[in-house]
Amino acid sequence: MSWLRRTLFAPVVAVLFSCTAPEGGEEVVVPEPPVAEVEPTELTAHGVTRTDDYFWLREREDPEVIAYLEAENEYTAAAMAHTQGLQAALFEEIRGRIKEDDSSVPYKDGDYFYYTRYEEAMEYPIHARKAGSLDAPEEVMLDANAMAEGHDYFAIGGRQVTEDGRILAYGVDLQGRRFYTVRFKDLTTGETLSDQIPDVTGNMAWANDKRTLFYVKQDPETLRSYQVFRHVLGTDPSSDELVFQEDDTEFSVYMGRFKSDEYLFVASTQTLSTEVRVLDADEPTGEFRVVLPREPEHEYSVDHLGDHFYIRTNDEAKNFRLVRAPVGDASRGNWDEVVAHRDDVHLEGFDLFRDHMVLSERSNGLTQLRILRWDGSDDHYLDFGEPAYVAYPQVNVDMESGVLRYGYSSLTTPSSVFDYDMNTREATLLKQDEVLGGFSSDNYTTERKWATARDGAEVPVSIVYRTDTPLDGSSPGYLYAYGSYGASMDAGFRSSIISLLDRGFVFAIAHVRGGAELGRAWYEDGKLLNKKNTFTDFIDVAEFLIDEGYFDRNRVFAEGASAGGLLMGAITNMRPDLWKGVLAGVPWVDVVTTMLDESIPLTTSEYDEWGDPREKEYFDYMLSYSPYDQVEAKDYPNLLVTTGLADSQVQYWEPAKWVAKLRALKTDDNLILLRTNMAAGHGGVSGRFRRYEETALKYAFMLDLAGLAEG
């Protein structure tokens, strides 16, 4: 900060710290945004100068910035103090539905059955295995509860075991910024090895020699994953060899291992282009070779079976098709088509077995699992029997197996794991999450509707409510969406939402453009110069739910996070009258400034998602919807904005600046609350129970505004 800012900011901090919890209904003091006291920053591009009064909030290490965020937290606590009892009750309700001593379904890999379990009252998982049989003694690989002691934040990432099951490599993040320290454990002796690799991603893969690990490192400033190193156990990590570097700043790198275990791969990916390199897993000192050279607008993914690479490609196929090619030469001239392109079906993925292939498809907005035999004697779909749901292959390690393990849930069916015999077509339920507290899916109804957007597009909507909830326009509504990157928001089960449904809320997911629920075209109609379709779809879905009697027009709440937080910022500016309250989690709201700053994480790799504002056409379009830039003097709805100081994807200063600017310009008396978790990143706090403290805060915020705080 400049001397001027340091001197004049001090009294503002004092004002902020004067906030106290209301006693006997006393008014809560609202923080005074430091507009007049702070020297503004002028940002100029394409002849347009934008004045940013809050640019200084970027200075993460400055104690006065920290004091400002902490004071905002105090104000939020004070403003919500009258709901503390409700928050506590909600937290206990939500936690009370969780089976605390729980375990995942074990899967077999090599000679071991691997699983994760939780113990009663403990926040973190225990990663364990059994040798040869589920009746064998348990071997604890990692007890995250013991490892997390003394840390405000703790996460394990990238667990990888050598092919013989002896050495475990794993990453540890103690801040939430997704910088991991990779460590190694000898699972036969329990000894933690001396090798440590700091400040890397959790993305890594073992070679077949059982002592060579390939891992990915990120740029310390932009956080772009761009380097692949080779580490040999017992050697100094500082001498690890760089085996690949991605120099194009629009690409990021991912490291993996094919299911066949015969090849390692490095994928360089950009929004519209891919390049995959492979290495014989038996030759760790060899050279990676390119499967298909990168080309503009050619996206592909690869797996391996026998003598062929199987390639999911969008070459002449907007919704993707599947081809195969010899491992020695995968060029287009050697392609054999396995699954043709279809205009009405999006091929999302595939899983290879010796006798079968499983396709993950999306049709009419819903996921489908399709089973095919290589000999052509069978081709069928699984029938899930509900109007809205999510289904997906789980861990399927053994290519020789005739059994597919898949996961399934819906808005009324808890998460379930099945084994499906692909020969007999028999599905066996292995586990369905036990929801405590008297939950019965019979008490709830789920529906799938279609809302007509203003341009005629039909937008799918997934809805759930208690069966006895009136649908006459008298029930409060809670609408959620994401709508970016082609990520589809499926109608999966979430036990926490029961606390709202049981109090009379109707919950809905708007499957807006920008996702890929209706195929690749649905995604492309919600990106770049079509981005505003995402925002207008959401508004139109809300209006539809009001008109159809699902939502009370005066009690509509909206939520989105990250890029979904951008959606929240946009719809708050565009239709502030429509929302009783808006919940924006880690919201990306300062679009133009971020996309013009190549030093900020994710910027250069996302030009093909949002556009490159160095080009005037994209600059003008972004500026026309950027939530921070579009804040103006008018009434706004109640807002609860949450962020994390260590967020590496959407920097904390974006929501902080947005809240300050809203407070300075808005013309109403509605609440605007900012809560910054000072020890968390983009995904929030660590621990399976602690995260629900924020959920309880959000639910209390909505219930209070809906007049149901006593319910």
Side-chain angles (χ1 to χ4, degrees):
M1 282 186 174
S2 67
W3 175 86
L4 177 65
R5 294 183 200 172
R6 290 187 181 277
T7 302
L8 295 180
F9 184 58
V12 178
V13 175
V15 170
L16 287 166
F17 272 111
S18 70
C19 301
T20 55
E23 295 290 342
E26 294 181 10
E27 183 179 357
V28 177
V29 179
V30 178
E32 292 290 340
V35 180
E37 293 92 346
V38 177
E39 180 183 353
T41 297
E42 293 190 345
L43 305 168
T44 301
H46 301 291
V48 177
T49 298
R50 295 175 299 127
T51 300
D52 191 344
D53 293 311
Y54 309 102
F55 196 80
W56 53 271
L57 280 170
R58 295 162 59 105
E59 300 182 33
R60 186 192 306 270
E61 304 301 325
D62 193 292
E64 289 173 353
V65 171
I66 299 301
Y68 178 78
L69 298 175
E70 290 175 338
E72 286 279 11
N73 284 348
E74 290 198 3
Y75 168 63
T76 295
M80 294 296 293
H82 65 290
T83 69
Q84 284 182 347
L86 176 59
Q87 290 182 54
L90 287 165
F91 177 78
E92 291 304 322
E93 262 181 40
I94 295 168
R95 178 171 177 167
R97 295 190 193 100
I98 300 171
K99 188 174 187 293
E100 297 196 8
D101 53 339
D102 200 9
S103 178
S104 66
V105 178
Y107 67 91
K108 192 172 188 294
D109 188 2
D111 296 330
Y112 294 90
F113 288 89
Y114 293 88
Y115 58 96
T116 297
R117 64 177 179 85
Y118 288 90
E119 293 184 343
E120 188 171 353
M122 305 304 286
E123 289 277 2
Y124 294 98
I126 296 170
H127 301 290
R129 68 180 187 179
K130 294 183 178 181
S133 164
L134 292 176
D135 295 326
E138 178 180 81
E139 301 176 22
V140 173
M141 299 189 296
L142 297 172
D143 183 347
N145 299 287
M147 298 166 69
E149 289 182 5
H151 300 291
D152 292 331
Y153 181 92
F154 180 82
I156 294 174
R159 293 175 290 119
Q160 298 291 330
V161 180
T162 52
E163 196 176 18
D164 61 357
R166 179 176 178 180
I167 305 296
L168 168 67
Y170 61 96
V172 172
D173 176 11
L174 300 179
Q175 290 187 317
R177 284 187 63 78
R178 302 181 184 178
F179 278 86
Y180 292 87
T181 296
V182 174
R183 298 172 182 170
F184 301 85
K185 183 175 181 180
D186 187 326
L187 297 176
T188 61
T189 66
E191 174 191 6
T192 298
L193 307 184
S194 60
D195 308 49
Q196 288 195 17
I197 308 172
D199 297 329
V200 297
T201 72
N203 179 208
M204 51 195 168
W206 286 105
N208 286 345
D209 67 351
K210 310 172 190 60
R211 59 192 299 266
T212 302
L213 182 80
F214 292 85
Y215 62 90
V216 177
K217 190 174 179 62
Q218 66 274 61
D219 182 284
E221 297 299 325
T222 67
L223 308 187
R224 181 175 70 95
S225 301
Y226 77 117
Q227 292 178 321
V228 178
F229 285 85
R230 178 169 50 219
H231 175 72
V232 179
L233 283 179
T235 64
D236 184 354
S238 65
S239 63
D240 287 352
E241 182 179 356
L242 175 67
V243 297
F244 175 70
Q245 178 167 304
E246 178 53 71
D247 293 322
D248 189 328
T249 58
E250 293 190 22
F251 283 76
S252 297
V253 164
Y254 177 81
M255 177 86 217
R257 181 180 171 103
F258 290 149
K259 183 176 176 178
S260 68
D261 290 331
E262 294 184 31
Y263 291 93
L264 305 172
F265 70 88
V266 172
S268 292
T269 61
Q270 177 231 36
T271 310
L272 296 177
S273 183
T274 313
E275 185 174 69
V276 176
R277 289 170 166 78
V278 295
L279 173 68
D280 188 325
D282 290 329
E283 302 291 340
T285 60
E287 296 291 329
F288 282 88
R289 62 182 176 90
V290 174
V291 176
L292 290 167
R294 69 187 69 183
E295 298 176 20
E297 300 189 14
H298 183 211
E299 301 170 63
Y300 70 93
S301 58
V302 185
D303 206 343
H304 168 252
L305 176 64
D307 297 327
H308 293 89
F309 288 137
Y310 287 77
I311 304 168
R312 172 183 171 267
T313 173
N314 69 344
D315 179 71
E316 300 182 355
K318 182 183 287 288
N319 279 331
F320 290 85
R321 59 185 172 126
L322 187 67
V323 301
R324 72 176 187 176
V327 296
D329 183 0
S331 58
R332 280 180 176 80
N334 290 325
W335 286 5
D336 291 323
E337 187 162 83
V338 179
V339 179
H341 173 261
R342 291 151 293 170
D343 290 334
D344 59 345
V345 178
H346 185 211
L347 177 59
E348 294 190 322
F350 62 99
D351 208 337
L352 303 176
F353 297 82
R354 182 191 63 189
D355 296 326
H356 298 85
M357 174 174 58
V358 178
L359 302 182
S360 297
E361 301 178 346
R362 190 174 294 271
S363 176
N364 204 32
L366 294 173
T367 53
Q368 306 277 355
L369 295 181
R370 179 183 177 190
I371 314 297
L372 303 94
R373 283 191 64 91
W374 291 116
D375 62 12
S377 62
D378 190 18
D379 182 351
H380 69 276
Y381 289 86
L382 275 66
D383 181 10
F384 300 113
E386 290 194 87
Y389 59 86
V390 58
Y392 49 91
Q394 276 216 331
V395 181
N396 290 281
V397 177
D398 185 7
M399 299 191 84
E400 298 297 311
S401 177
V403 174
L404 168 72
R405 178 163 296 179
Y406 71 89
Y408 175 85
S409 77
S410 74
L411 290 171
T412 57
T413 303
S415 295
S416 309
V417 179
F418 290 85
D419 270 355
Y420 181 76
D421 189 311
M422 293 183 282
N423 294 305
T424 66
R425 301 192 184 187
E426 293 180 2
T428 302
L429 177 63
L430 302 179
K431 179 187 177 183
Q432 184 173 94
D433 283 356
E434 187 176 351
V435 182
L436 307 180
F439 169 80
S440 171
S441 60
D442 294 338
N443 294 331
Y444 304 89
T445 298
T446 184
E447 297 184 35
R448 183 80 156 185
K449 296 291 184 179
W450 296 83
T452 303
R454 62 195 65 185
D455 64 355
E458 294 294 318
V459 183
V461 189
S462 300
I463 309 167
V464 65
Y465 50 88
R466 271 194 72 96
T467 305
D468 57 3
T469 297
L471 302 180
D472 57 2
S474 64
S475 300
Y478 173 26
L479 184 61
Y480 177 85
Y482 184 70
S484 291
Y485 302 107
S488 299
M489 292 294 104
D490 289 307
F493 189 78
R494 48 185 82 185
S495 64
S496 62
I497 205 73
I498 297 167
S499 290
L500 290 180
L501 302 182
D502 285 353
R503 289 172 171 83
F505 266 77
V506 176
F507 174 65
I509 303 171
H511 304 285
V512 296
R513 280 174 282 189
E517 285 89 343
L518 297 180
R520 182 72 177 198
W522 197 247
Y523 167 42
E524 293 179 353
D525 281 348
K527 63 182 290 194
L528 296 173
L529 299 176
N530 296 318
K531 189 62 210 170
K532 290 182 184 177
N533 285 335
T534 303
F535 316 142
T536 55
D537 281 358
F538 190 85
I539 292 168
D540 294 342
V541 167
E543 293 280 16
F544 166 82
L545 292 168
I546 292 168
D547 292 342
E548 293 294 310
Y550 290 97
F551 286 1
D552 177 352
R553 179 173 292 278
N554 298 311
R555 294 189 293 172
V556 180
F557 297 86
E559 183 178 15
S562 194
L566 163 66
L567 169 60
M568 294 301 100
I571 58 102
T572 299
N573 283 327
M574 295 169 70
R575 284 295 307 276
D577 60 300
L578 192 55
W579 323 105
K580 181 67 173 180
V582 173
L583 301 96
V586 291
W588 184 47
V589 287
D590 192 8
V591 178
V592 177
T593 305
T594 293
M595 292 303 295
L596 282 169
D597 187 347
E598 296 183 21
S599 71
I600 293 178
L602 305 182
T603 293
T604 59
S605 64
E606 299 198 351
Y607 290 145
D608 287 314
E609 179 73 25
W610 313 102
D612 184 347
R614 295 172 299 184
E615 299 178 24
K616 190 174 188 306
E617 181 182 25
Y618 290 108
F619 173 85
D620 290 343
Y621 189 75
M622 287 181 190
L623 189 61
S624 72
Y625 69 74
S626 173
Y628 185 63
D629 292 288
Q630 293 300 316
V631 172
E632 58 187 3
K634 62 184 179 185
D635 288 0
Y636 280 91
N638 300 280
L639 279 104
L640 173 59
V641 183
T642 55
T643 187
L645 183 63
D647 195 332
S648 60
Q649 291 178 257
V650 178
Q651 306 297 320
Y652 73 89
W653 61 72
E654 294 205 28
K657 294 196 316 177
W658 183 44
V659 165
K661 189 173 183 179
L662 282 165
R663 284 231 190 85
L665 294 180
K666 75 188 189 79
T667 55
D668 59 82
D669 295 324
N670 289 330
L671 275 176
I672 295 187
L673 304 178
L674 172 67
R675 186 174 186 270
T676 304
N677 193 302
M678 308 302 283
H682 196 65
V685 298
S686 59
R688 61 172 173 155
F689 300 130
R690 291 172 57 204
R691 68 187 62 186
Y692 290 117
E693 293 174 358
E694 185 169 291
T695 303
L697 172 67
K698 293 190 297 184
Y699 287 6
F701 176 78
M702 288 189 283
L703 288 164
D704 188 36
L705 291 170
L708 299 173
E710 303 302 321

